[in-house]
């Protein structure tokens, strides 16, 4: 009897530990944040969801999701680029509908065909593929880009619509792509571990008949551990209607985000990451 009880408790703990939509990043997937410290509450939306992005039974990054605006607030990951092909399959997050649904990201078609879920039901909790069709001047912009990952599973995991915002297509394919591919390679020279937090500031415009917010700004920040005693940091921000990226210090970005959100002082990383 005691053994059965212990097995039930163990199974319960295992299930809790594997929940996709979690109560906090600190308790579920802290490894994607420098010193296991996520950004502070200054960025939290009215209807937040904390997602430990899980694919094939493994966590690959973390996303704070805005249920109301149907876009991510930010995604956090470890910068580990490597060769590979760009995935083609887009997925959604079943657990945004409720904890009884699958704990890993799935394709829309899989949910519709095998879990008796309607597209209307799915669309209430998040953006769906239909929301991103027939866009003009915009495309699906990754916060956590697939090119910053080293194998096919980690790359595929970035292709969830909970990691996507409507992004100016010229910016996405131009200055922002240059930052992701060229500036990041230069800046991470000598880094042992680089923690990245990429986000989007909500705007006043929407796509998909008012369902999905079009961000006013896209931003990125990085904290690099050179060794146990030395760290460096950098950041960028871009208006989502211009093909320009502004390079900043971490402190400058946090101050800009504080002004844009108009709430408490924004802190993106633990205080040991340099702000200047």
């Amino acid at each position: 009897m005691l053994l059965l009880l212990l097995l039930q408790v163990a199974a319960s703990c295992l299930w809790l530990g594997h929940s996709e939509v979690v109560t906090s990043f600190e308790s579920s997937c802290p490894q994607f944040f420098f010193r296991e410290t996520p950004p502070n509450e200054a960025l939290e939306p009215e209807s937040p969801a904390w997602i430990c992005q899980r694919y094939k039974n493994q966590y690959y990054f973390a996303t704070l999701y805005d249920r109301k605006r149907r876009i991510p607030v930010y995604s956090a990951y470890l910068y580990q680029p490597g060769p590979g092909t760009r995935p083609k399959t887009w997925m959604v997050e079943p657990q945004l509908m409720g904890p009884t649904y699958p704990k890993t990201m799935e394709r829309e078609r899989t949910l519709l065909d095998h879990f008796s879920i309607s597209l209307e039901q799915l669309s209430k909790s998040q953006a769906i593929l239909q929301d991103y069709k027939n866009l003009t001047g915009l495309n699906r912009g990754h916060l956590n880009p697939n090119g910053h990952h080293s194998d096919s599973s980690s790359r595929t995991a970035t292709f969830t619509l909970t990691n996507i915002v409507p992004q100016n297509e010229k910016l996405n394919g131009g200055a922002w792509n240059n930052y992701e591919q060229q500036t990041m390679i230069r800046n991470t020279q000598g880094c042992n571990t680089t923690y990245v937090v990429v986000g989007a500031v909500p705007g006043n415009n929407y796509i998909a008949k008012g369902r999905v917010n079009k961000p006013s700004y896209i931003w990125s920040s990085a904290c690099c551990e050179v060794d146990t005693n030395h760290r460096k940091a950098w950041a960028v921000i871009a208006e989502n209607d211009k093909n320009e990226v502004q390079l900043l210090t971490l402190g400058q970005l946090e101050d800009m985000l504080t002004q844009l959100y108009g709430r408490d002082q924004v802190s993106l990383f633990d205080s040991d990451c340099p702000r200047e």
Side-chain angles (χ1 to χ4, degrees):
M1 186 71 181
L2 179 60
L3 178 61
L4 179 61
L5 182 61
L6 288 172
L7 286 172
Q8 287 176 332
V9 170
S12 174
C13 290
L14 187 64
W15 184 88
L16 285 170
H18 283 180
S19 177
E20 184 70 13
V21 175
V22 299
T23 55
S24 77
F25 292 137
E26 291 95 332
S27 61
S28 301
C29 53
Q31 66 268 32
F32 302 113
F33 303 93
F34 174 63
R35 297 279 168 85
E36 301 190 347
T37 305
N40 66 349
E41 296 177 356
L43 298 179
E44 284 183 18
E46 184 180 327
S47 302
W50 292 266
I51 306 173
C52 292
Q53 298 283 13
R54 188 178 179 200
Y55 177 66
K56 289 188 175 179
N57 214 31
Q58 183 174 336
Y59 291 146
Y60 285 104
F61 63 106
T63 299
L64 177 61
Y65 192 72
D66 187 335
R67 296 173 182 266
K68 184 177 179 181
R69 296 184 178 94
R70 297 185 177 88
I71 58 170
V73 177
Y74 63 75
S75 285
Y77 62 96
L78 298 177
Y79 177 73
Q80 297 171 322
T85 57
R86 180 182 173 89
K88 296 179 180 178
T89 301
W90 290 94
M91 292 177 285
V92 291
E93 180 46 65
Q95 288 226 321
L96 285 174
M97 294 183 291
T100 60
Y101 293 102
K103 301 183 183 75
T104 60
M105 56 183 75
E106 297 280 358
R107 292 184 304 151
E108 276 185 18
R109 180 50 53 192
T110 300
L111 293 175
L112 299 181
D113 291 347
H114 301 289
F115 292 91
S116 301
I117 294 169
S118 69
L119 200 58
E120 181 183 5
Q121 184 182 3
L122 179 65
S123 69
K124 287 180 180 178
S125 65
Q126 60 202 285
I128 58 174
L129 287 170
Q130 182 64 39
D131 294 328
Y132 282 91
K133 288 187 175 175
N134 304 316
L135 295 179
T136 302
L138 299 168
N139 56 22
R140 287 175 282 208
H142 283 73
L143 291 191
N144 175 4
N146 82 96
H148 285 185
H149 298 274
S150 59
D151 58 54
S152 60
S153 291
S154 56
R155 285 170 175 260
T156 300
T158 67
F159 273 69
T160 167
L161 294 184
T162 55
N163 180 46
I164 298 299
V165 298
Q167 187 172 9
N168 180 286
E169 62 181 1
K170 290 183 179 178
L171 173 64
N172 193 18
W176 194 258
N177 183 65
N178 289 341
Y179 171 72
E180 289 180 337
Q181 303 305 324
Q182 299 173 21
T183 308
M184 281 293 289
I185 290 174
R186 288 196 304 269
N187 286 4
T188 53
Q189 294 299 310
C191 296
N192 282 324
T193 306
T194 302
Y195 297 86
V196 184
V197 181
V198 187
V201 180
N204 297 320
N205 298 312
Y206 285 76
I207 65 167
K209 298 179 180 178
R211 282 180 39 80
V212 178
N213 186 266
K214 177 194 168 188
S216 55
Y217 291 86
I218 314 291
W219 53 269
S220 181
S221 57
C223 183
C224 140
E225 287 186 304
V226 178
D227 54 41
T228 53
N229 298 316
H230 299 90
R231 288 161 293 279
K232 61 180 180 178
W234 60 90
V236 292
I237 194 167
E239 292 185 59
N240 198 18
D241 56 3
K242 296 179 181 177
N243 186 19
E244 299 174 10
V245 168
Q246 184 180 0
L247 187 61
L248 305 169
T249 65
L250 175 58
Q252 287 173 331
L253 175 63
E254 289 177 333
D255 288 344
M256 280 191 71
L257 293 177
T258 300
Q259 292 180 345
L260 289 168
Y261 277 86
R263 303 209 292 257
D264 295 335
Q265 174 67 38
V266 170
S267 176
L268 298 175
F269 291 99
D270 178 87
S271 58
D272 278 349
C273 198
R275 263 54 187 182
E276 297 302 323

